Amino acid sequence: ARAAEQRGEIRVRTRVTADNDVVEQAVTAFAKRDGGHVVFVSNSYEPVVERLSDRHPHLRFTIIDSAIDRPNTEAIQFREDEA
């Protein structure tokens, strides 16, 4: 992971699920293995991102369509007509 980062490569893994427990388990495993940046696309993940960002301050999180205020979290909101 670090070598790829030094070469300017970006590794992307995708997981789609509506089960917040599965999401938390996957991100926790990712945090132990690689670390990095996790992106969520839906405000339905807001409670999960809040818990995970507190538990994993070394990770960066982005959540789209939310207003979470955490030091390691970027929240992106769109106006209703932009969504």
Side-chain angles (χ1 to χ4, degrees):
R2 298 287 177 232
E5 184 177 307
Q6 290 173 348
R7 291 189 305 267
E9 296 175 9
I10 298 173
R11 292 174 32 190
V12 177
R13 291 189 182 134
T14 304
R15 178 165 296 202
V16 178
T17 180
D19 185 333
N20 287 346
D21 291 333
V22 171
V23 170
E24 285 195 50
Q25 291 169 5
V27 172
T28 299
F30 172 72
K32 291 177 184 174
R33 185 179 60 248
D34 295 320
H37 197 136
V38 182
V39 178
F40 293 85
V41 182
S42 174
N43 63 356
S44 65
Y45 292 114
E46 192 169 302
V48 175
V49 174
E50 288 175 333
R51 284 191 299 273
L52 289 168
S53 65
D54 289 341
R55 267 190 245 147
H56 304 287
H58 63 287
L59 290 180
R60 297 284 309 143
F61 295 90
T62 297
I63 183 165
I64 297 173
D65 199 24
S66 181
I68 295 175
D69 184 22
R70 296 284 197 282
N72 59 339
T73 303
E74 178 80 23
I76 300 171
Q77 291 185 297
F78 296 98
R79 290 190 300 264
E80 191 171 318
D81 62 329
E82 295 176 327

